[in-house]
Amino acid sequence: MKFLGNIIWFVFGGAILGLLWCLIGLLWCITIIGIPVGTQCFKIAKLAVMPFGKEIVRDEGNAGRFILNILWLIFGGIELAIGYALVGILFCITVIGIPFGKQNFKLAALALRPFGAKVVKSKNLK
C-alpha cells in the first residue's frame, strides 16, 4: 500500500506540494534569520512528496524549539494545519480517500509543530 499510495499521492498533488514547500524554504533561507524556518519547510516538503510509510517522531525538551513553534503558529502554522485538516476531512468522506485523509492529518500535525520533529521511515509494515 505504501508504494501505490505514494505513487498516487505524488501524481495527484504531492509533486506540486513538495516543490512549493521547497520554494518557500529557499525564500526563507535567503535571510540568515529565516534559515531555521526554511529547514522546517524542507522537512514538510520531504513528507509532502511521499507521506506513506513515514511517521513523525518528536524530540521534546528544548525551550528554543518551544519558542520557535509558538512563533511558527502565530505566523502561519495554524492556517496551514487547518488547511491540511480540512482537506483530510474531505478525503475521509469516501472509503477510498481515508488513507489519503490520514496523510493530510499527518501533515497537519507537522504543520502545527515542525520544530523538534523528525520524519522517519515507519517500522509498521502496513
Side-chain angles (χ1 to χ4, degrees), residues 4-15 17 47-52 84 91 99-101 103-104 107:
L4 183 60
N6 278 329
I7 296 299
I8 293 170
W9 180 277
F10 184 81
V11 170
F12 290 106
L17 276 175
L47 186 63
V49 171
M50 293 192 175
F52 287 89
Y84 278 121
F91 271 116
F100 299 99
Q103 302 311 313
N104 275 293
L107 283 162

Side-chain angles (χ1 to χ4, degrees), residues 71-86 108 111-112:
L71 290 173
W72 176 273
L73 280 174
I74 292 170
F75 294 110
I78 292 174
E79 291 85 359
L80 289 169
I82 289 172
Y84 278 121
L86 289 176
L112 271 178

Side-chain angles (χ1 to χ4, degrees), residues 16-25 41-42 44-45 48 72 80 84:
I16 294 170
L17 276 175
L19 286 174
L20 289 174
W21 275 111
C22 285
L23 178 65
I24 293 168
C41 291
F42 295 137
I44 296 172
W72 176 273
L80 289 169
Y84 278 121

Side-chain angles (χ1 to χ4, degrees), residues 32-101:
I32 301 290
I33 296 171
I35 291 175
V37 176
T39 57
Q40 299 313 306
C41 291
F42 295 137
K43 184 186 301 180
I44 296 172
K46 179 181 171 183
L47 186 63
V49 171
M50 293 192 175
F52 287 89
K54 295 180 183 157
E55 60 185 39
I56 300 169
V57 177
R58 301 229 176 250
D59 180 23
E60 304 292 339
N62 188 339
R65 290 180 189 149
F66 177 76
I67 293 169
L68 287 171
N69 278 325
I70 296 297
L71 290 173
W72 176 273
L73 280 174
I74 292 170
F75 294 110
I78 292 174
E79 291 85 359
L80 289 169
I82 289 172
Y84 278 121
L86 289 176
V87 172
I89 290 168
L90 288 175
F91 271 116
C92 287
I93 290 173
T94 65
V95 174
I96 295 171
I98 290 173
F100 299 99

Side-chain angles (χ1 to χ4, degrees), residues 103-124:
Q103 302 311 313
N104 275 293
F105 295 140
K106 189 187 311 182
L107 283 162
L110 186 60
L112 271 178
R113 295 185 308 147
F115 292 94
K118 290 182 182 178
V119 177
V120 297
K121 288 185 180 180
S122 178
K123 295 180 183 174
N124 193 355

